[in-house]
Amino acid sequence: MLSENDLHGIYVPVITPFDTQERLDVESFERYLTSLIQHDMDGIVLNGTTGESPTTAWDEVGRLAEAARACMRSKALPLVIGSGTNSTAESVRRTEAAGLWGADAVLAVTPYYSRPSEEGVIEHFRRIASVGFPVIAYEVPSRTGVTLSAETMKRILDLDGIIGLKDASGGTSLAEKLLPNCQKPILCGEDAHLLEMLQLGAAGGMLASANVHTTAFLDVYAQAASGNMSLAAATFDRLLPLIRLLFRESNPAPLKWLLARQGHIASDTLRCPMARISDALQEELSALSEVIA
């Protein structure tokens, strides 16, 4: 199981491949993941936003977890499974299941849609953490409709069992307030802000963009961790145009298109209501991905 001290570096949230009939494509998943883990990232995240968690059934997550563990058998790589929903009871049940499936920690998003009070959100995380399995909190207000104050997030991070935070709050303001007074690791979850977050003292990132040009993202982290911020900035600047294109239309649609084009998965199919990317974005991604080292 992951501890606070283990939570650092670059974690890659993986996509969930579907065939053209929107059925789970485990064969593509195994091929894609086997290729991806040849890189020395610090962990894999299954069933996150990038994995289309809103439309992936929980039993399908179990099948993917089994496949992931088989692919990763020869490599000691942490597996984080997204278990958070807008139902506290369901999130608890999923956290228990993720532990049985061999996860090393779970990623639990701030409960969405219901627009709970901040006290309700704290209790939500307290109950998930009471399972006794490591929990990474995930703040992403652009998707949940809930924006937590730094004070509330600090109370969540102070809970036993919460080992860190994925901060996709849309900027660096939350991290700026938390990092000086927080002993638990904060990972950047907003790809375009990776360099800024590392400069502030973030422990790393959970980055969908790191599915492609993975080595360059690992270099950014390693260069920053060694104190060579100017080199990290130069490396990151080369990646930034691609990051911006990958998030121009809703993630993971651009990423899936690119992975399919590169032959890592058989199809860029997404589950409705997600739709494939525009022709214009396809052209831009195709041109840009060829020139980034």
Side-chain angles (χ1 to χ4, degrees):
M1 294 193 294
L2 281 178
S3 69
E4 298 169 25
N5 293 334
D6 299 321
L7 193 58
H8 56 79
I10 301 298
Y11 281 66
V12 182
V14 295
I15 56 100
T16 299
F18 302 117
D19 66 19
T20 56
Q21 302 302 310
E22 300 186 17
R23 296 172 301 205
L24 190 66
D25 182 357
V26 177
E27 183 178 345
S28 276
F29 179 76
E30 291 171 339
R31 182 174 69 252
Y32 147 71
L33 185 60
T34 299
S35 175
L36 182 63
I37 63 174
Q38 300 311 305
H39 302 281
D40 291 325
M41 74 275 291
D42 296 277
I44 293 294
V45 184
L46 185 69
N47 197 47
T49 304
T50 303
E52 295 177 72
S53 56
T55 54
T56 302
W58 188 238
D59 67 298
E60 292 176 322
V61 178
R63 291 171 61 192
L64 291 173
E66 181 180 11
R69 273 302 176 207
C71 291
M72 295 158 59
R73 188 172 291 123
S74 61
K75 191 164 187 175
L77 192 64
L79 175 65
V80 178
I81 295 180
S83 68
T85 72
N86 63 339
S87 163
T88 303
E90 179 65 12
S91 300
V92 167
R93 186 183 76 81
R94 290 185 176 204
T95 297
E96 293 169 341
L100 295 174
W101 290 342
D104 297 284
V106 296
L107 182 68
V109 68
T110 303
Y112 45 87
Y113 189 77
S114 304
R115 299 182 67 184
S117 68
E118 295 203 343
E119 288 300 326
V121 175
I122 293 169
E123 181 61 21
H124 174 83
F125 280 103
R126 180 180 288 111
R127 294 188 189 187
I128 296 172
S130 71
V131 170
F133 197 70
V135 178
I136 303 164
Y138 178 19
E139 169 71 335
V140 56
S142 66
R143 291 185 181 268
T144 64
V146 177
T147 301
L148 299 181
S149 67
E151 293 75 16
T152 296
M153 184 53 69
K154 178 65 164 57
R155 290 175 63 189
I156 291 169
L157 286 169
D158 285 342
L159 294 171
D160 290 340
I162 305 293
I163 64 168
L165 169 67
K166 177 181 178 180
D167 178 2
S169 57
T172 60
S173 176
L174 180 61
E176 287 170 359
K177 293 171 183 174
L178 287 175
L179 282 166
N181 304 300
C182 182
Q183 299 304 310
K184 293 182 180 178
I186 295 175
L187 299 181
C188 174
E190 201 85 40
D191 299 30
H193 293 293
L194 175 63
L195 185 66
E196 297 169 89
M197 291 280 284
L198 292 175
Q199 290 170 330
L200 289 170
M206 283 187 177
L207 309 168
S209 306
N211 273 276
V212 291
H213 301 295
T214 308
T215 298
F217 281 94
L218 298 175
D219 287 345
V220 172
Y221 171 74
Q223 291 156 359
S226 68
N228 196 338
M229 283 297 178
S230 60
L231 184 56
T235 306
F236 187 69
D237 282 348
R238 294 199 302 272
L239 291 168
L240 197 51
L242 177 63
I243 292 171
R244 289 173 174 153
L245 285 183
L246 287 173
F247 285 89
R248 178 174 295 175
E249 297 177 17
S250 292
N251 178 55
L255 175 59
K256 268 194 158 178
W257 180 85
L258 192 53
L259 290 172
R261 182 177 181 274
Q262 293 173 341
H264 295 296
I265 57 177
S267 170
D268 66 342
T269 300
L270 302 108
R271 276 189 175 157
C272 194
M274 293 289 287
R276 71 196 309 263
I277 62 173
S278 64
D279 291 344
L281 182 54
Q282 289 181 31
E283 291 177 8
E284 289 189 72
L285 275 170
S286 179
L288 184 61
S289 63
E290 298 294 341
V291 300
I292 298 179

